[in-house]
Amino acid sequence: SLTFQLRPPILANAGLAAAIKWLAEELRENYGLNFELLDDNTPLPLRYEVRSSVFQAVREILLNVVKHSHCTLARIRLGSDAGRVQIEISDNGTGFDPAEVAQKKSRTGGFGLFNVRRKIEYLGGELLIETELGVGTLVVVAVPAEVA
Ligand code: ATP
Ligand code: MG
């Protein structure tokens, strides 16, 4: 089951990149997630509240990959430029039909991605979802970087 709590022991101290690496390793150990992580090694300057929300978003997106995608490979890319921090998560799984998802949502009350989008937009960021049946899914989380 996917009900156990994933607690990031390092989010406050080591930062977002380390926490996302930790999370992906947990999902590999517990659910066999096969992933590649590409870190541009650009800084990810986010204040704690934003960092924490982005981490929760990434957690939900990766749990969706584990629960729904049936992929053989997921890719996680971390980077920043032009004053924004961007995290891309893609998989080569089933993809989905956003219209069917809307119907399903009203029956089952699944609000994972809905809440993620609301939170990221509240922080002045954007959530982009590209998905194609039989090809896979790309989800991009972008938020404004902290201004020094
Ligand atoms: P909850 O997150 O509330 O437990 P959920 O995961 O079903 O429920 P969402 O996270 O909002 O809800 O995702 C909506 C639906 O989109 C999923 O039920 C699934 O059908 C589809 N989906 C999301 N991500 C993927 C993915 N990476 N691959 C395939 N389907 C996906
Ligand atoms: Mg979900």
Side-chain angles (χ1 to χ4, degrees):
S1 99
L2 288 163
T3 54
F4 85 103
Q5 288 298 307
L6 289 163
R7 282 181 291 122
I10 52 181
L11 185 59
N13 298 324
L16 185 60
I20 290 172
K21 284 171 197 166
W22 171 86
L23 171 66
E25 293 292 350
E26 288 288 303
L27 294 174
R28 173 148 61 201
E29 275 176 38
N30 288 286
Y31 305 113
L33 176 70
N34 182 37
F35 72 91
E36 286 175 353
L37 196 144
L38 178 60
D39 188 347
D40 290 0
N41 289 312
T42 49
L44 307 177
L46 301 173
R47 67 180 200 279
Y48 182 78
E49 185 208 349
V50 180
R51 200 156 79 235
S52 169
S53 297
V54 169
F55 179 81
Q56 286 172 48
V58 169
R59 178 185 183 281
E60 172 57 31
I61 293 160
L62 280 175
L63 281 171
N64 278 348
V65 171
V66 168
K67 283 195 285 190
H68 304 302
S69 81
H70 303 282
C71 70
T72 58
L73 181 62
R75 287 207 174 84
I76 304 164
R77 181 165 182 180
L78 313 175
S80 66
D81 78 283
R84 67 185 218 161
V85 170
Q86 186 159 312
I87 318 276
E88 302 174 9
I89 294 159
S90 60
D91 68 65
N92 66 350
T94 57
F96 59 98
D97 178 351
E100 281 180 33
V101 168
Q103 287 176 340
K104 183 176 177 181
K105 216 184 282 298
S106 61
R107 284 204 310 274
T108 65
F111 277 97
L113 284 178
F114 180 86
N115 280 331
V116 164
R117 180 186 297 282
R118 200 168 59 166
K119 185 72 191 224
I120 294 301
E121 289 178 354
Y122 168 77
L123 296 170
E126 285 183 287
L127 187 79
L128 173 81
I129 301 171
E130 283 179 16
T131 181
E132 193 177 338
L133 288 175
V135 177
T137 300
L138 165 70
V139 182
V140 181
V141 179
V143 290
E146 185 177 33
V147 181

